[in-house]
Amino acid sequence: NCDDALVSPLPSAAFTSSSELFSTHSPSFAKLNRRDGAGGWSPLESNEQQWLQVDLGDRVEIVAVATQGRYGSSDWVTGYALMFSDTGRNWKQYRQDDAVWVFTGNSNADSVVHHKLLHSMKARFLRFIPLKWNVGGRIGLRVEVFGCSYKSDIADFDGRSSLLYRFNQKLMSTFKDVVSLKFKSMQGDGVLFHGEGQRGDYITLELQKGKLSLHLNLGDSNLHFSNSHTSVTLGSLLDDQHWHSVLIERFNKQVNFTVDKHTQHFRTKGDSDHLDIDYELSFGGIPVPGKPGTFQRKNFHGCIENLYYNGVNIIDLAKR
């Protein structure tokens, strides 16, 4: 049921734009099916540097968009792109099939063209970027956005803090692990989670110079360390203050490591099939300097959302 009209209830102050032709063509008149002012938004110049921005008031899930031209005119947009943001300062382009997606717009002023998004967006701010428009007129736009409020569990980390998940037993020995989370980082380096055992086993996920690295060691450090340590790196420029999704699935030595829909399948080295972790996992940093490994570690500075370890909601558990 995530299909509420999100734009129609908004106040005029929620709309801004790159420019406006006249006050009667201001962005506040860009609501779908409305005829206020001159019947929609038109910028001062019709070129690809123009944009219409909507502040949805809070972070929401966006599942569809719809557009019209300016009421009773020859002004409509035939193709446009979307950009979204949590802050209104850092923007990300909506993409499909690993490319910036161009939406088909209108062929007249008043018919509504509706697009359901292949991938929903979670954002507070949305920008419509006109790319093509009616050759016999100007850019003209009325819009609606469909979706619902977005509720999630988020933990903020300041580069000095961390969350601890303590086991109800001294040793946790697992043949299968599943870790999922979303993160938004202010810096290019920092530990997202870490666990280690006294026998030398460890698992660490950390940002290193804007890339995400997964370090795994299965087995006795004295006997197998040179053979059992595995490091895999995915992504780049992940410290862009946008949300990125991570999924780690390990079954014995087989691991699937996914970052933003890009998956690396690999097999860990070593003789052991199980991961032995003592006492606890830490998220956002390592409270006490860890023993194994030689890579440099910094605490994470940013936000982690919807953090699950083997089905346990870590953030919700911490809030209790």
Side-chain angles (χ1 to χ4, degrees):
N1 296 322
C2 188
D3 56 1
D4 298 333
L6 303 177
V7 166
S8 55
L10 294 174
S12 298
F15 299 84
T16 52
S17 63
S18 51
S19 65
E20 58 187 53
L21 183 60
F22 301 109
S23 60
T24 52
H25 298 67
S26 80
S28 62
F29 298 130
K31 292 183 179 182
L32 203 74
N33 294 321
R34 298 286 290 271
R35 303 179 182 183
D36 307 335
W41 167 70
S42 285
L44 182 61
E45 300 289 339
S46 289
N47 56 44
E48 293 185 8
Q49 283 69 56
Q50 307 301 323
W51 47 263
L52 171 69
Q53 178 176 314
V54 183
D55 178 357
L56 297 164
D58 204 351
R59 195 162 179 239
V60 297
E61 181 167 7
I62 301 166
V63 300
V65 293
T67 60
Q68 282 174 305
R70 193 169 61 80
Y71 172 71
S73 73
S74 57
D75 303 339
W76 58 82
V77 171
T78 59
Y80 62 94
L82 290 175
M83 300 184 75
F84 57 99
S85 171
D86 285 335
T87 63
R89 297 183 299 276
N90 299 300
W91 293 88
K92 195 170 187 178
Q93 293 175 310
Y94 178 79
R95 302 173 70 90
Q96 281 185 202
D97 303 325
D98 289 329
V100 175
W101 192 252
V102 177
F103 293 84
T104 301
N106 300 90
S107 57
N108 57 51
D110 296 307
S111 296
V112 176
V113 176
H114 184 280
H115 289 285
K116 186 172 179 62
L117 304 184
L118 183 62
H119 312 293
S120 67
M121 293 181 283
K122 284 84 174 178
R124 173 176 171 175
F125 298 89
L126 189 65
R127 274 188 181 180
F128 292 80
I129 314 293
L131 300 176
K132 298 179 289 184
W133 46 92
N134 179 27
V135 293
R138 310 175 59 91
I139 292 174
L141 203 55
R142 288 176 285 172
V143 302
E144 184 57 270
V145 175
F146 300 92
C148 55
S149 59
Y150 180 66
K151 303 299 181 185
S152 61
D153 291 303
I154 298 178
D156 296 311
F157 297 88
D158 60 5
R160 298 182 298 274
S161 57
S162 62
L163 270 177
L164 293 181
Y165 172 51
R166 289 201 165 94
F167 309 135
N168 55 11
Q169 57 202 61
K170 180 180 178 181
L171 173 67
M172 181 71 75
S173 184
T174 59
F175 288 91
K176 179 180 179 181
D177 291 295
V178 179
V179 182
S180 64
L181 59 93
K182 295 185 75 173
F183 75 90
K184 180 170 65 173
S185 180
M186 311 300 174
Q187 296 180 353
D189 298 274
V191 172
L192 279 91
F193 77 85
H194 173 79
E196 63 183 67
Q198 293 186 4
R199 295 195 337 145
D201 291 35
Y202 63 83
I203 181 170
T204 304
L205 180 70
E206 68 170 336
L207 273 171
Q208 293 180 308
K209 297 181 179 179
K211 299 181 179 181
L212 204 55
S213 296
L214 175 64
H215 309 286
L216 268 173
N217 187 45
L218 305 180
D220 190 313
S221 61
N222 296 322
L223 299 177
H224 307 301
F225 181 79
S226 61
N227 296 323
S228 53
H229 175 77
T230 305
S231 291
V232 174
T233 299
L234 269 180
S236 61
L237 304 176
L238 300 178
D239 52 340
D240 57 1
Q241 299 185 36
H242 289 290
W243 289 101
H244 299 281
S245 59
V246 181
L247 176 63
I248 299 168
E249 302 166 294
R250 182 189 71 87
F251 182 71
N252 295 342
K253 292 189 182 72
Q254 190 63 43
V255 182
N256 300 327
F257 179 31
T258 303
V259 178
D260 293 339
K261 301 170 190 165
H262 298 283
T263 301
Q264 182 87 21
H265 305 281
F266 66 94
R267 186 174 176 82
T268 60
K269 302 174 184 176
D271 299 327
S272 176
D273 284 336
H274 56 270
L275 176 67
D276 292 337
I277 299 296
D278 292 336
Y279 302 114
E280 65 191 18
L281 286 171
S282 62
F283 298 89
I286 305 176
V288 179
K291 294 174 293 182
T294 57
F295 37 86
Q296 185 179 8
R297 293 159 171 158
K298 294 181 181 179
N299 278 26
F300 178 68
H301 187 191
C303 306
I304 296 180
E305 174 186 75
N306 295 345
L307 169 58
Y308 286 84
Y309 169 70
N310 289 346
V312 177
N313 186 332
I314 301 296
I315 298 174
D316 181 60
L317 196 64
K319 287 179 178 177
R320 296 179 195 173

